[in-house]
Amino acid sequence: MHAIEKILMKNSGKSNIHTGEIVNAKIDFAEINDLYLQTVYSFYEMGGQKVWDNERCAFVFDHYAPCPDIKSAENHKAMREFAIKNNLRFHFDTNCGVCHQVMPEAGVIYPGMIVVATDSHTTTHGAFGAMGTGCGATDMATILMTGELWFRVPEIIEVRLDGKTQKGVYPKDVILAVLGKIRADGAVYKAIDFTGSYVEGLNVAGRMTICNMAVEMGAKTAYMQPNSDVLEYVKKRAVRPYEVQYTDPGYKYAESYTFDVSGIEPELACPSSVENVHTLSSVVAEGEVKINQGYIGSCTGGRVEDIAEAAKILKGRHIPEYTRLVVIPASREVMLECMTRGYISDLMNAGATISTPGCGACLGAHEGILAPGEVCITSTNRNFPGRMGSTEALMYLASPATVAASMVYGKITDPREFLN
Amino acid sequence: MQKVLTGKCIVIGDNIDTDQIYPGRFLAITDPKEIGSHCLCGVSEDIAGNFPEGGFVVAGRNFGCGSSREHAPIALINMGAVAVLADSFARIFFRNAVNLGLLPIICKGINKHVKEGQTLTLDVEAGTVNVHETGEVFECEKLGDQAMKILEAGGIKPMMRAKFAGK
Ligand code: SF4
């Protein structure tokens, strides 16, 4: 039996479970972000009165932090009122950061749990050996009322990542290379278990980046067996006791893919689809790609490790005139750490604009929107038309190092040029 | 719920994500009719205003991929769509659609065959789509028991209301 199945089995109170079965499982933590006031509406429309457990659900105000307009301010106000009325133990207002970063930091994410959030990138929490999955507002309202949600026990795909990456190649490059092979719908309704020696040695931030983008292949959830870095991280933070689940030896996956990460180069997802992945070298070989804006941030590429790589490259350099680089740390904790380490001043001296921890322009809400015809290179996770503003803007997804390197000349540039 | 539905269709492509169905810049809107008026504007601004009431959206693979926003099915319903017929659906979109009473029907290859403006009849129980103009009949996948249970209750809201009414 797989660890994910064991989690589902335990939370649905069953003694056995099989693929394809529909189970009602208890939710250990539920998170609603600030796009989903509909959750509150649906809750009352369905006759909800009080949340099932005031210690197991929270709002995170990340997409509109701080509010860019009256409408989002009204939404926050209504959500705050709901949080106060229900006496929620956890609340993440506009001073915290992106939900998938602030939840682990606050210790509400730990191995063996089920976390459901009104956000597709909830697959991120597989990095901690948790089962994380996204849902819509009304599904979330049913959780707030009952503490449960129905799931179909998914097929599980193994993505085995072995070997060591070359210098200048980051977890973001690895997941882009995987996505280019498995494609945007390669794992729809399924779970992805990332295994292999590369994953075993990977730090928390790198694990989160990879699990985060599992949803770009359609995955319901992602999983990585916790390693010592993860256990260290959660030991200091977890707000309740937890039990790590392990996959039984000899478990048979629905499908298996194997990648030798040592062959992966800096990669790009070119406009305008996450599966349109090419090596950076092949893209620039076809001609120079000029950049108007670089963007470093989000639940994919806005952690300390990401900003560190950018600062390393940009320290003592300056972005060209008439270009801009927006850097948005994923959380307050991340930003404080980056300040302590001097990355924020290095980046500001290089010409970067630093903005409030949160989602920012990742989904085109504010803080770095693109005009028609503009080109952006970004450490985020989606480049669909219109994702960061105009439907006529073009987005290249890349590692934070590639974004930083590209901002040195204002054109897509291989980060390895700066790493010797 | 109605199990045999007839209406005109529009035809769009693969990987139509939630940003194309309902762009992020409109997410703060809460009025359903206004949400519907922006539906599919990431594909074309002309779709929502001209959509045939009670019609079908026909698409390729991975319809509704991207974010978990419920605005996507809310927009489709309020634009006037009763069903989406596609090669495959992203999982969260599928759940959201069922919860709100929009039919997500897997009908492989249909978007390569039907044309904008044709009239289709979907028979949910038989699992067929009939194209009036050409007489072609497509097989589609039947919805699972859990999805049917929710749809027959009129969506998850009436279902939960009934469940909680006694408490
Ligand atoms: S950072 Fe981007 S991808 Fe992550 S939750 Fe925010 S909007 Fe979504």
Side-chain angles (χ1 to χ4, degrees):
Chain A
M1 190 170 262
H2 192 277
I4 294 173
E5 295 171 331
K6 291 184 186 175
I7 295 172
L8 276 169
M9 186 170 84
K10 185 165 165 241
N11 280 31
S12 55
K14 303 194 109 179
S15 52
N16 208 340
I17 214 167
H18 59 85
T19 307
E21 182 180 348
I22 305 278
V23 297
N24 253 326
K26 287 204 162 49
I27 305 306
D28 295 296
F29 202 79
E31 182 264 329
I32 308 112
N33 67 40
D34 56 350
L35 298 176
Y36 290 86
L37 182 57
Q38 180 63 46
T39 305
V40 173
Y41 293 159
S42 294
F43 181 82
Y44 289 127
E45 278 172 45
M46 296 191 296
Q49 286 176 350
K50 279 251 163 191
V51 301
W52 97 104
D53 186 337
N54 70 336
E55 305 216 342
R56 290 184 183 270
C57 50
F59 288 91
V60 179
F61 295 173
D62 50 1
H63 292 72
Y64 299 115
C67 291
D69 53 28
I70 297 168
K71 191 76 216 144
S72 51
E74 283 173 347
N75 292 358
H76 281 183
K77 183 167 172 258
M79 289 175 182
R80 262 185 218 106
E81 283 163 5
F82 186 89
I84 294 167
K85 189 167 165 207
N86 282 280
N87 191 23
L88 300 188
R89 173 167 166 209
F90 299 97
H91 177 66
F92 304 91
D93 219 292
T94 54
N95 58 344
C96 292
V98 182
C99 57
H100 304 305
Q101 185 63 22
V102 300
M103 286 194 287
E105 286 173 359
V108 297
I109 304 295
Y110 39 82
M113 73 176 304
I114 299 182
V115 50
V116 180
T118 53
D119 192 276
S120 58
H121 291 102
T122 312
T123 56
T124 307
H125 307 289
F128 300 93
M131 185 188 138
T133 194
C135 75
T138 304
D139 264 342
M140 180 52 72
T142 69
I143 297 175
L144 294 184
M145 291 168 74
T146 63
E148 291 181 355
L149 190 65
W150 67 269
F151 294 98
R152 182 181 164 278
V153 180
E155 287 82 13
I156 301 169
I157 305 180
E158 179 185 35
V159 174
R160 196 177 178 83
L161 304 170
D162 283 321
K164 275 200 159 66
T165 47
Q166 306 165 27
K167 199 172 192 168
V169 176
Y170 300 89
K172 178 67 173 287
D173 299 299
V174 172
I175 190 62
L176 287 177
V178 170
L179 237 162
K181 283 270 149 45
I182 300 184
R183 317 284 293 175
D185 58 350
V188 175
Y189 310 128
K190 298 175 185 155
I192 299 180
D193 184 8
F194 293 98
T195 65
S197 60
Y198 174 70
V199 175
E200 283 157 23
L202 199 56
N203 64 15
V204 172
R207 292 175 151 240
M208 290 174 79
T209 301
I210 289 181
C211 289
N212 176 277
M213 289 196 71
V215 75
E216 308 308 334
M217 296 176 268
K220 171 188 213 130
T221 191
Y223 191 79
M224 285 179 176
Q225 194 60 46
N227 64 3
S228 55
D229 282 41
V230 168
L231 296 175
E232 185 86 356
Y233 185 100
V234 291
K235 196 167 82 192
K236 286 186 285 205
R237 300 174 188 253
V239 296
R240 20 186 109 76
Y242 55 85
E243 188 187 345
V244 182
Q245 298 294 346
Y246 296 89
T247 301
D248 294 330
Y251 174 77
K252 274 192 99 61
Y253 290 93
E255 284 163 74
S256 278
Y257 299 85
T258 303
F259 294 81
D260 176 1
V261 300
S262 64
I264 294 174
E265 293 185 38
E267 307 280 336
L268 296 169
C270 297
S272 290
S273 143
V274 286
E275 63 182 15
N276 188 16
V277 176
H278 302 275
T279 59
L280 185 151
S281 55
S282 71
V283 172
V284 297
E286 287 189 7
E288 190 175 282
V289 184
K290 283 225 167 72
I291 299 293
N292 303 102
Q293 175 172 295
Y295 188 92
I296 294 172
S298 84
C299 54
T300 315
R303 282 177 264 280
V304 176
E305 290 78 353
D306 302 312
I307 294 168
E309 290 304 324
K312 209 182 331 175
I313 291 171
L314 284 164
K315 184 175 182 166
R317 296 193 166 94
H318 204 282
I319 67 171
E321 202 168 26
Y322 303 120
T323 66
R324 61 230 190 237
L325 169 63
V326 179
V327 179
I328 305 192
S331 71
R332 176 177 52 190
E333 184 179 316
V334 169
M335 187 158 184
L336 284 169
E337 180 69 22
C338 290
M339 282 165 68
T340 308
R341 298 199 197 177
Y343 303 152
I344 298 294
S345 42
D346 292 342
L347 290 166
M348 287 182 83
N349 286 330
T353 308
I354 312 290
S355 204
T356 328
C359 299
C362 173
L363 87 161
H366 58 153
E367 300 176 325
I369 304 290
L370 302 171
E374 288 196 315
V375 181
C376 178
I377 186 159
T378 168
S379 74
T380 56
N381 48 39
R382 288 189 177 140
N383 61 348
F384 305 127
R387 173 73 179 176
M388 294 180 75
S390 167
T391 48
E392 289 150 56
L394 300 177
M395 285 148 280
Y396 289 84
L397 306 182
S399 75
T402 298
V403 174
S406 302
M407 291 317 296
V408 173
Y409 304 123
K411 61 176 188 187
I412 292 184
T413 304
D414 195 321
R416 290 175 293 191
E417 210 177 290
F418 301 96
L419 294 174
N420 289 313
Chain B
M1 104 192 242
Q2 230 182 308
K3 290 182 179 157
V4 180
L5 302 131
T6 298
K8 287 196 184 304
C9 72
I10 64 159
V11 183
I12 52 183
D14 290 333
N15 289 323
I16 300 295
D17 70 281
T18 54
D19 281 287
Q20 292 177 71
I21 301 170
Y22 196 74
R25 64 181 184 280
F26 300 126
L27 284 173
I29 300 173
T30 46
D31 174 51
K33 278 288 158 225
E34 196 185 342
I35 292 174
S37 73
H38 298 297
C39 189
L40 287 166
C41 73
V43 177
S44 159
E45 300 273 353
D46 302 330
I47 294 177
N50 300 309
F51 191 80
E53 184 61 37
F56 300 99
V57 172
V58 175
R61 64 187 180 93
N62 207 18
F63 185 85
C65 59
S67 90
S68 58
R69 63 190 68 153
E70 206 161 275
H71 299 73
I74 293 175
L76 287 158
I77 291 168
N78 285 287
M79 174 176 80
V82 290
V84 181
L85 312 173
D87 284 350
S88 61
F89 290 93
R91 169 190 156 264
I92 301 175
F93 177 85
F94 187 93
R95 282 187 83 108
N96 286 342
V98 168
N99 281 344
L100 297 176
L102 173 72
L103 291 162
I105 305 289
I106 296 176
C107 192
K108 293 215 162 86
I110 188 166
N111 85 318
K112 301 266 166 4
H113 291 274
V114 300
K115 293 198 179 56
E116 189 94 24
Q118 288 183 328
T119 303
L120 313 179
T121 293
L122 165 69
D123 185 327
V124 179
E125 275 184 338
T128 55
V129 178
N130 210 308
V131 187
H132 291 214
E133 285 77 2
T134 61
E136 279 176 295
V137 180
F138 294 90
E139 299 254 328
C140 44
E141 279 181 27
K142 292 187 189 163
L143 290 160
D145 293 346
Q146 181 75 16
M148 281 307 284
K149 202 167 96 193
I150 296 171
L151 286 162
E152 285 186 3
I156 194 99
K157 288 180 188 169
M159 195 167 144
M160 289 289 287
R161 265 199 299 270
K163 189 169 158 188
F164 268 73
K167 293 194 182 170

